[in-house]
Amino acid sequence: MSVTMESCNCVEPPWPADELLMKYQYISDFFIALAYFSIPLELIYFVKKSAVFPYRWVLVQFGAFIVLCGATHLINLWTFGMHSRTVAVVMTTAKVLTAVVSCATALMLVHIIPDLLSVKTREIFLKNKAAELDREMGLIRTQEETGRHVRMLTHEIRSTLDRHTILKTTLVELGRTLALEECALWMPTRTGLELQLSYTLRHQNPVEFTVPIQLPVINQVISTNRAVKISPNCPVARLRPLAGKYMPGEVVAVRVPLLHLSNFHINDWPELSTKRYALMVLMLPSDSARQWHGHELELVEVVADQVAVALSHAAILEESMRARDLLMEQNVALDRARREAETAIRARNDFLAVMNHEMRTPMHAIIALSSLLQETELTPEQRLMVETILKSGNLLATLINDVLDLSRLEDGSFQLEIRTFNLHALFRELLNLIKPIASVKKLSVLLSLAPDLPEYAVGDEKRLMQIILNVVGNAVKFTKEGSISITAFIEKSESLRDPRAPEFFPVPSDSHFYLRVHVKDSGSGITPQDIPKLFTKFAQSQSLATRNSGGSGLGLAICKRFVNLMEGHIWIESEGLGKGCTAIFIVKLGIPERVNESKLPFVPKVPTIHGRTNFPGLKVLVMDDNGVNRTVTKELLVHLGCDVTTVSSGDECLQVVSQEHKVVFMDISVPGNTDRVTKENCLRLGMDGVILKPVSVDKMRSVLSELLDQQVVFGAQ
Amino acid sequence: MDAIVQLQRQFVDYTTSLYRDGFLDDQFTQLQKLQDESNPDFVVEVVNLFFEDSEKLLNNLATALQQQIVDYKQVDAHVHQFKGSSSSIGAQRVKNACVAFRNYCEERDPEGCVRCLQQLKREHYLMKSKLETLFRLEQQILAAGGSVPMMT
């Protein structure tokens, strides 16, 4: 506030009475002005220094405001005394300006101050956040360090498979990592009722400490898989005698599961109830006021688990080493046994070979000389005696052969001689062999071969003959009167099975078929109890043995073995004593590929082919309504040397046929009938034979031979 | 000389393939055995006879099957004839087709029969062309001065 004094011409009074007040106001205004001018300067100086101040415009405004205020106060100085109008004008201008700027600044501050306050809030927030992150960093670092320790420990523990090393290393490393005073491992004893101090880090215990396993503190530790703090005074922790001023450090115990091989099942991890546990006890240094921290406990738990795994690996390794040693021992023993067995077999074979020769030579002598003796003049008693000698000799020879065969069959050194042979010829020979014997006993023998039975088969002809002979021989032997019927056919899936051997299931293939032979006799029959014994060697039922039946009882046993070698089956069915019996056997034979005359062995035993390779001039009549067939059949017969006339119908046939024609071939096509039915009808009507087309040269040849030799086509093929 | 060997080898290969693919079977071999100096063209003659016969039979079959009411007995008789001839010369596939045909005849299945007839015709013409090729090869060998190898 200024006082404006009117200017007058009077003498200027000196300072008025309130001059002091004025003086002070004057000085104050001066200082105010000074301050007001210096503040902006300071502001400018500091703002220039700092780079981050965002509100420069505000500063300018503020500066202007202050400057103007200062100016106002400065100008005020001049208004204390007399002042001209110019000063008044300047003063007014300054005030107006100041007013404007200050109002503007006031308005500006309304906007600025909340912003400035929020900056402060954010600063506080960020500080808090930073503190929190710091804390977390600390945690992570601790964890990472723990992890590093665990890995290192694990590495050390797992680097060996030796049990002792594992445990010792564990204790050492743990002790080092956690700076423990003592670390001990208690293992369960064999009985499982006590824990025994097995390993310690520092304390060498000469005496074996044991603690019963049923202590509550131990149960507490075992019942959880966490590390448990226990009292330093409990028996497992008291490893040294307490001495005076000890303030024992905190003790922690953790269980170590001892896993056995038997614990590892496929789907369940080992059960808790059956487990054995060891106990690991860790003690912090006494008088150190250290405490167990969470991450340290975690470390201990992890280590305990790793130790368990490492121990189980060691156990597995021990086990497998033991198993391997055992196997090696067994191997050696087996090898020895095998060599011994081989030696025994060799010795036996040598013996048999020698004996074979040694036994057979005298046998031959006996048999040969007895036969010779039979040819000479003998009295009836002498003849009887010689016959008995001969019979006994033969029996003995058969027995020797059988025994040798059987022993070879038993030890598996027997091999079938497989080759292609004539199946039909085999049966014919059998008949030739059996018929004379059977007719002596006034038994009729009937052989019937199925039409689809192949002419040639691949197998062991000699042994097959042996089988059939044996079976048929038995039939003849045990039949006093009646007939023997032999049927042979190809096994079909609907054929009857042996009720006692349901698992035998022959499956034919492209290269094999199963031959099935039934030998039925009307003889004495067999009781059901005796049937299983039939194939047992050396067993002969009393009811079967008559004075006249000889035999060692080996025959059927050998048959069975041959049949088995031929992948077949043999069995006997009988309805009881006096009701006859049927022997049935099935053997597997191969089907020869492309029956090739040049490859096949010349079959010497079939008498029909002997000497008959050609039929020169044989007058034959062929009737066939099919031109092609007629031509082919005619050429076949011409090739064999026949004189062939052909006709194409039954009527023509009747016209042409005469006494000169030795053979008439008639084509019979009866659609709808099977070949078998046709054949049966033909035979019934009196035809001498039926053959099925297409006919090969050989077939035609053999048919003609049979016709001419025996007036009948055998086997009806 | 080489040409003859070449032809002979071709002949052998071709014949082997015919056997392998089932066109011919053992009976054909039998026929070939019957052929000798006294009857040098036996096989060709028989085969031609067969094809003449079978043409007639096929026509008869076609006619029989086209009837309103099919006489299956007649059809069966024809097929039986066909089967007989084809098995006589060893035409295996033709024979098998006949066997199948007879089954359908027994079942009196008209569509089946027609199908079989088609099949039979196919097999027949196939056989014909194959055998013609075979005989042509034989002629070539003979013309070149060589001898036809015997198939064992």
Side-chain angles (χ1 to χ4, degrees), chain A residues 405-600:
Chain A
D405 264 349
L406 201 58
S407 70
R408 272 196 306 147
L409 283 168
E410 301 250 271
D411 71 59
S413 62
F414 189 85
Q415 297 245 336
L416 290 172
E417 293 158 25
I418 308 277
R419 47 184 191 92
T420 314
F421 64 93
N422 190 325
L423 195 58
H424 290 235
L426 186 122
F427 279 105
R428 276 197 293 273
E429 196 191 337
L430 168 79
L431 207 61
N432 289 339
L433 287 170
I434 289 290
K435 258 201 167 145
I437 307 175
S439 47
V440 164
K441 286 180 99 174
K442 299 219 174 26
L443 301 168
S444 67
V445 179
L446 199 61
L447 170 68
S448 121
L449 303 176
D452 57 355
L453 200 65
E455 196 179 345
Y456 291 97
V458 178
D460 189 334
E461 183 184 13
K462 189 166 108 185
R463 287 3 184 287
L464 183 60
M465 180 59 126
Q466 217 170 326
I467 296 171
I468 306 180
L469 262 178
N470 201 301
V471 170
V472 172
N474 275 347
V476 170
K477 223 190 306 183
F478 293 109
T479 308
K480 291 202 190 69
E481 59 182 358
S483 67
I484 315 263
S485 95
I486 308 167
T487 31
F489 47 97
I490 298 187
E491 164 90 7
K492 308 258 187 331
S493 47
E494 57 273 7
S495 315
L496 295 163
R497 299 243 157 281
D498 177 9
R500 289 192 196 79
E503 68 282 347
F504 175 68
F505 205 83
V507 180
S509 72
D510 281 337
S511 56
H512 290 101
F513 71 99
Y514 283 87
L515 169 71
R516 190 179 166 113
V517 176
H518 287 223
V519 178
K520 186 167 165 55
D521 69 56
S522 57
S524 44
I526 308 175
T527 58
Q529 300 95 294
D530 287 334
I531 290 186
K533 284 194 242 159
L534 285 167
F535 295 99
T536 325
K537 53 181 183 183
F538 306 126
Q540 213 173 15
S541 163
Q542 284 302 87
S543 60
L544 292 181
T546 68
R547 232 166 13 103
N548 286 329
S549 77
S552 55
L554 278 181
L556 279 178
I558 292 186
C559 271
K560 189 173 167 69
R561 278 174 182 66
F562 282 145
V563 167
N564 286 342
L565 275 173
M566 296 186 191
E567 295 178 57
H569 188 54
I570 179 170
W571 74 99
I572 291 192
E573 288 171 7
S574 172
E575 306 199 2
L577 285 172
K579 299 211 178 87
C581 70
T582 311
I584 306 173
F585 70 86
I586 304 172
V587 290
K588 184 177 181 186
L589 295 174
I591 300 173
E593 12 156 300
R594 205 155 283 285
V595 174
N596 212 321
E597 270 121 57
S598 54
K599 274 204 257 165
L600 282 173

Side-chain angles (χ1 to χ4, degrees), chain A residues 594-598 625-629 631-632 635-636 639 668-672 693-698, chain B residues 19 25-27 30-31 33-34 36 39 42 46 49-50 53 76-77 80-82 84-85 87-89 102 152:
Chain A
R594 205 155 283 285
V595 174
N596 212 321
E597 270 121 57
S598 54
D625 56 351
N626 183 311
V628 175
N629 292 349
T631 316
V632 173
E635 191 58 25
L636 256 177
H639 194 77
I668 308 203
S669 23
V670 187
K693 284 187 279 200
V695 187
S696 68
V697 177
D698 279 349
Chain B
Y19 278 104
D25 64 10
D26 197 43
Q27 185 61 14
Q30 295 288 328
L31 287 187
K33 286 208 182 100
L34 293 175
D36 55 10
N39 204 341
F42 174 64
V46 174
L49 194 55
F50 168 68
D53 253 10
D76 191 32
H80 182 82
Q81 280 270 26
F82 208 149
S85 339
S87 73
S88 283
I89 70 160
R102 287 193 78 188
T152 45

Side-chain angles (χ1 to χ4, degrees), chain B residues 73-96:
Chain B
K73 262 198 157 76
Q74 180 75 318
V75 172
D76 191 32
H78 285 317
V79 177
H80 182 82
Q81 280 270 26
F82 208 149
K83 175 172 161 228
S85 339
S86 55
S87 73
S88 283
I89 70 160
Q92 194 181 24
R93 279 168 71 134
V94 178
K95 182 188 77 173
N96 291 342

